[in-house]
Amino acid sequence: MKIILNIQRFNPDTDTGPYFQEYGVEADPNERLLDALMRIKRFQDGSLGFRKSCAHGVCGSDAMRINGRDGLACKTLVKDVVEKEGETITVEPLRYLPVQRDLIVDQKPFFTKYRFIKPYLINDEEVEGKERLQSPEERMVFDDTTNCILCAACYSACPVLGEKRGFVGPAAIAQAFRFIADSRDRGRDERLQLLDNKTGVWPCQNHFKCTEACPRSILITKRINQTKELIKKHQR
Amino acid sequence: MIRSTPELEIDILHSRGAKGGSLSTAQNIHQKEIHVIYQFDTVIVGSGGAGLYAALEAGQKSKTAVLSKLYPIRSHTGAAQGGISAALGNVEEDKAEWHAFDTVKGGDYLVDQQAVRILAEEAIQAVYDLENRGLPFNRTPDGRIDQRRFGGHTRNFGEGPVRRACYAADRTGHMILQTLYQQCIKHNVAFFDEYQVIDLLLHGSTCNGVVVVELATGEIHTFVAKAVLFATGGFGRMFRITSNAYASTGDGPAVCARRGIPLEDMEFFQFHPTGIMGLGILITEAVRGEGGVLRNRDGERFMERYSPTLLDLAPRDIVSRAIITELRAGKGIRGDGKIDDYLHLDATGLGKEVLQSKLPDISSFCQTYLGIDPAASPIPVLPTAHYAMGGIPTDVHGRVLGDAKGTIVDGLYAAGECACISVHGANRLGTNSLLDLVVFGRRAGRHIADYVRQADLVMPGKDAADEARARIARLTDGGTGPHGGEITDEMQIVMMEKVGIYRNENDMRAAIAAIQALRERYQHVRVQDTGKSFNTDLLELIELGNMLDLCLVTATSAVARQESRGAHSREDFPDRDDGAWLKHTLAFLEQDAVRLDYKEVDTSIWKPKPRTY
């Protein structure tokens, strides 16, 4: 079938601001949106800029806004969009991150916030040449949060970041929870302290947009609320 | 977050019209013709599992930079699903010796056996180390790392399947990549994200750096170092149907080959039996490890005929050939005998609970891309190009070997899929790739840390980056030429059809001619994107050039090997021939020709025997 991709373009070397360009392209309904983008790039316009790598939803490179919803181009099938919303698909870069070129955004602010919450196991206790024990139940407490691919779809979907750009954002909090809730970790208090302030967990107003956007089905909003509860319990 | 600020020098002597500056003055980097030189003890190219592990080790003791064309956690290590093998013996008796033997036999004896002994023995501590660093493995009821079955892994030298694969659901690679990246953050490893390597610097036979393009600016920079490690991953994008990422284009091996480094055993490329039909997306062997079975159009569990002992858990080369044989016999689901017909991977017997707790991503892929629930419907599958057993030849410390005598190229290292140690021989066993990159990434990093302490830095000459610069200039000179899209398509189709699972002399000769014609056309390609910053068009053309060189090396190595061994299956030479061919291929790319040499295989522990399962 023929579809039209209406893509936001911007080249900082030559353009004063972003604009939209339409591309008509043949696409099978069962194809990924990424396949259509690749067909444009390889056979129509090599100057179209976007990131991609694994092409099946595990590397997090191709998060973008597709008809106003944040998601991965490789996990969005053409038919899923076209059947409900027609054959013109609007494609934009993620929000709240500086656009570097077309659909490519500067991920540094996102990763700076991720690094801020100390995203690594904190535990200096000696281990005697084997694994630390953890029951299957303890392991399941934080299971979904380990799926995060740091694609930033949740970050772009969050309405709070539109008003409070300093907000640490959904992904960083979910990753803080991933370690706080890990029975092997000893960094709970320092992470909770990092998040107990006006750029930490408290700006979240339970819009659930992050949870809806997450291509890895992480219950982000729930994890944020659990983190809030832990702060109330342990910090106050 | 950079631990030691890179010593950025604007080399006034070497530059053409350059002005002094520092890293913080970004506008300088944008200036034309500037020659920026970064200086480190250690430069690691690639930020998948091998690169990150090496960075953790080397970074403790030397000034280390990680260059990656992707953001680190985008690497293809993250797509590995089923597990990482180690004879922990957590759920049943197991021994490192059994693991080593299985790996040798799985590789059809083209495996260097002392290297495999190291792989299997160090596996145990490597897995514990990952766990200690935070990796969330699935657990046994008593809290230990859980283990499951995987193809070709057996107890007591082949008696039956053994539970050896440690796993985190079907996201084991993702967890390894995340854990190592988290540790790199903790230890302040310096990253240069979205830097594409385009050349290797050699001073005589000593490596002293790399030349790169910075995606953000389009500028060409030189990284001078005492040691360079290539950990650039695989190159499955040579083929039409592949489980590999777009980024898997073999940049490290191609750059090395153009600088006279041989490539080892490139004819051995693994096709994973179960990719999603048409898309090539990997469906982990763990589906079969947990009890899934392959069925043909009659509903028959056909692996009973090909591998009576291991059945569906036979090594991948055997299962992939069995699938193609079934299709050719008209036993595919459509039954038309064509090789794009498909078979069923039946996981309906596993039950929803096992699929949800142990194979959740597979369930999600089936839902997303096929619209089916694997608990209720069989999965349509076909073999998919998956893993390069061959690559840059190294010893067990990751040091690159420059010839058949084993001459070490000082300062040059390789690890992970881009390297060939060789622990996988003619066919890799499932779960051994994650193990390889952890064990040998770590070993390379440790060796580098010692090496750079006593090595002297050799500054490259003023013309060191000229060749790389000319290569880029030709692609971007504003001239008109064909674009890369059609060349890419044609390359992938010819490799898939003629250098795929079954091979013969005529097909491969035709493939070599076609690849040579494509390489000739590549000499005329030009970018369509004339911008400098974030020119992904340029990167794709660089990648295409790399793949074309590797296709030529692969096909040439393959046509020369007149036997069938592991993943290299010749219709015209169906038997393994140890008398003539129990040897590693070393291929030297010399302009438009490939010169072949060979070296011995280390068979010091187990003598080759017929390979049956």
Side-chain angles (χ1 to χ4, degrees), chain B residues 50 57 101 164 253 267 304 306 316-317 357 362 370 391 406 462 487 560:
Chain B
E57 293 293 338
F101 173 77
R164 184 177 291 149
E267 62 270 42
E304 287 172 346
Y306 297 88
R316 291 172 179 172
D317 57 330
S357 62
I362 292 308
L370 297 164
K462 63 178 178 183
I487 297 177

Side-chain angles (χ1 to χ4, degrees), chain A residues 13 41 46 51-53 59 74 101 107 115 119 131-132 134 139 146-150 178 184, chain B residues 1 71 74 90 131-132 134-136 139 143 145 171 174-175 182 194 246 369 528-529 533 536 540:
Chain A
D13 297 341
K41 183 163 185 66
R51 292 192 179 96
K52 85 289 176 187
S53 191
C59 83
C74 63
R101 178 84 189 258
Q107 302 169 86
R115 285 169 172 250
E131 70 266 65
R132 293 190 172 95
Q134 182 172 56
R139 166 68 180 76
T146 65
N147 297 344
C148 180
I149 53 176
L150 299 169
R178 176 253 173 274
R184 301 169 297 169
Chain B
M1 296 295 167
Y71 270 72
R74 314 293 184 215
N90 278 0
E131 193 285 334
N132 294 164
L135 198 143
R139 299 289 174 153
I145 296 168
R171 304 166 176 143
H174 165 79
M175 300 302 183
Q182 291 157 4
E194 302 192 317
Y246 278 106
Y369 300 109
Q528 289 180 352
D529 185 348
S533 47
T536 49
E540 292 216 347

Side-chain angles (χ1 to χ4, degrees), chain B residues 1 22 82 105 109 118 207 244 264 287 300 337 367 376 392 414 420 476 515 531 552-553 560 567 579-580:
Chain B
M1 296 295 167
S22 72
K105 184 178 172 186
Y109 292 90
I118 291 171
C207 171
N244 284 196
E264 182 173 349
V287 172
E300 184 202 4
Q367 194 63 53
I392 305 164
C420 181
T476 58
I515 295 294
L552 183 66
V553 172

Side-chain angles (χ1 to χ4, degrees), chain B residues 98-271:
Chain B
W98 298 350
H99 184 183
F101 173 77
D102 289 341
T103 304
V104 168
K105 184 178 172 186
D108 220 347
Y109 292 90
L110 193 77
V111 170
D112 289 324
Q113 297 185 1
Q114 294 300 336
V116 164
R117 192 180 52 76
I118 291 171
L119 179 81
E121 288 176 0
E122 294 192 5
I124 295 164
Q125 202 49 52
V127 166
Y128 287 139
D129 184 60
L130 286 170
E131 193 285 334
N132 294 164
R133 289 174 184 269
L135 198 143
F137 283 107
N138 277 42
R139 299 289 174 153
T140 63
D142 61 352
R144 302 207 167 275
I145 296 168
D146 199 9
Q147 299 187 270
R148 64 181 167 200
R149 292 172 174 172
F150 239 84
H153 290 279
T154 72
R155 74 184 131 76
N156 203 20
F157 308 101
E159 281 183 6
V162 72
R163 295 178 196 275
R164 184 177 291 149
C166 312
Y167 66 101
D170 49 1
R171 304 166 176 143
T172 314
H174 165 79
M175 300 302 183
I176 288 177
L177 189 61
Q178 292 282 333
T179 301
L180 293 175
Y181 181 59
Q182 291 157 4
Q183 292 294 304
C184 285
I185 290 174
K186 185 180 178 187
H187 294 286
N188 290 316
V189 170
F191 285 101
F192 290 79
D193 301 331
E194 302 192 317
Y195 283 63
Q196 167 84 26
V197 66
I198 46 176
D199 202 0
L200 168 69
L201 300 180
L202 290 170
H203 181 83
S205 65
T206 302
C207 171
N208 60 345
V210 288
V211 184
V212 301
V213 180
E214 181 185 8
L215 179 66
T217 62
E219 294 295 350
I220 294 165
H221 304 311
T222 304
F223 280 76
V224 182
K226 294 177 184 174
V228 171
L229 170 77
F230 279 102
T232 59
F235 31 92
R237 284 279 156 179
M238 293 193 305
F239 296 94
R240 184 64 163 182
I241 300 293
T242 177
S243 64
N244 284 196
Y246 278 106
S248 301
T249 56
D251 305 327
V255 160
C256 286
R258 288 196 292 267
R259 283 289 172 196
I261 308 293
L263 297 180
E264 182 173 349
D265 292 343
M266 292 288 282
E267 62 270 42
F268 297 100
F269 202 98
Q270 178 171 84
F271 283 73

Side-chain angles (χ1 to χ4, degrees), chain B residues 516-530:
Chain B
Q516 289 288 26
L518 291 172
R519 290 173 85 247
E520 170 57 30
R521 273 162 66 191
Y522 180 80
Q523 292 309 313
H524 306 283
V525 295
R526 293 293 185 279
V527 292
Q528 289 180 352
D529 185 348
T530 54

Side-chain angles (χ1 to χ4, degrees), chain B residues 299-589:
Chain B
E300 184 202 4
R301 187 181 189 181
F302 58 86
M303 283 310 299
E304 287 172 346
R305 285 186 272 116
Y306 297 88
S307 175
T309 305
L310 293 187
L311 302 163
D312 299 85
L313 288 176
R316 291 172 179 172
D317 57 330
I318 292 170
V319 182
S320 284
R321 277 194 294 274
I323 290 176
I324 298 300
T325 306
E326 290 293 298
L327 297 184
R328 285 178 173 179
K331 299 272 191 170
I333 303 303
R334 283 201 314 263
D336 56 17
K338 294 184 177 163
I339 60 157
D340 67 342
D341 196 359
Y342 61 97
L343 286 160
H344 277 150
L345 174 58
D346 182 358
T348 57
L350 273 60
K352 269 197 182 303
E353 198 185 327
V354 167
L355 284 165
Q356 200 45 52
S357 62
K358 296 185 172 175
L359 300 161
D361 272 4
I362 292 308
S363 305
S364 162
F365 296 154
C366 289
Q367 194 63 53
T368 302
Y369 300 109
L370 297 164
I372 63 166
D373 174 3
S377 318
I379 309 166
V381 293
L382 259 187
T384 182
H386 185 58
Y387 187 86
M389 272 70 74
I392 305 164
T394 73
D395 69 4
V396 294
H397 304 292
R399 291 182 294 188
V400 171
L401 307 174
D403 56 33
K405 287 179 293 189
T407 308
I408 287 162
V409 183
D410 287 327
L412 185 60
Y413 293 76
E417 188 173 346
C418 76
C420 181
I421 302 174
S422 146
V423 290
H424 307 307
N427 171 65
R428 175 176 68 75
L429 291 188
T431 69
N432 272 352
S433 58
L434 289 175
L435 182 59
D436 173 5
L437 58 85
V438 170
V439 167
F440 290 101
R442 184 163 74 160
R443 288 178 72 90
R446 286 181 179 172
H447 199 277
I448 287 170
D450 290 336
Y451 172 79
V452 297
R453 235 182 316 184
Q454 49 81 29
D456 294 320
L457 187 76
V458 185
M459 286 302 287
K462 63 178 178 183
D463 54 355
D466 282 3
E467 237 174 88
R469 211 173 274 281
R471 202 175 160 84
I472 300 304
R474 200 267 298 164
L475 294 169
T476 58
D477 66 3
T480 54
H483 195 229
E486 274 159 18
I487 297 177
T488 305
D489 270 8
E490 290 176 38
M491 170 191 77
Q492 290 174 333
I493 290 168
V494 79
M495 288 298 286
M496 195 78 195
E497 291 180 348
K498 301 198 187 308
V499 197
I501 293 174
Y502 277 110
R503 301 165 169 179
N504 62 61
E505 170 106 17
N506 287 344
D507 277 357
M508 287 189 284
R509 295 271 173 225
I512 291 169
I515 295 294
Q516 289 288 26
L518 291 172
R519 290 173 85 247
E520 170 57 30
R521 273 162 66 191
Y522 180 80
Q523 292 309 313
H524 306 283
V525 295
R526 293 293 185 279
V527 292
Q528 289 180 352
D529 185 348
T530 54
K532 277 201 100 171
S533 47
F534 292 95
N535 190 332
T536 49
D537 196 25
L538 174 62
L539 291 198
E540 292 216 347
L541 288 187
I542 294 169
E543 291 172 339
L544 174 59
N546 290 340
M547 284 190 289
L548 285 168
D549 285 347
L550 297 186
C551 286
L552 183 66
V553 172
T554 300
T556 308
S557 301
V559 77
R561 183 175 283 273
Q562 296 185 330
E563 66 159 351
S564 290
R565 181 186 298 273
H568 178 67
S569 308
R570 294 279 303 247
E571 292 162 321
D572 40 359
F573 298 94
D575 298 321
R576 194 176 87 191
D577 181 357
D578 287 338
W581 289 102
L582 184 60
K583 57 189 181 184
H584 295 294
T585 305
L586 288 180
F588 296 80
L589 180 65

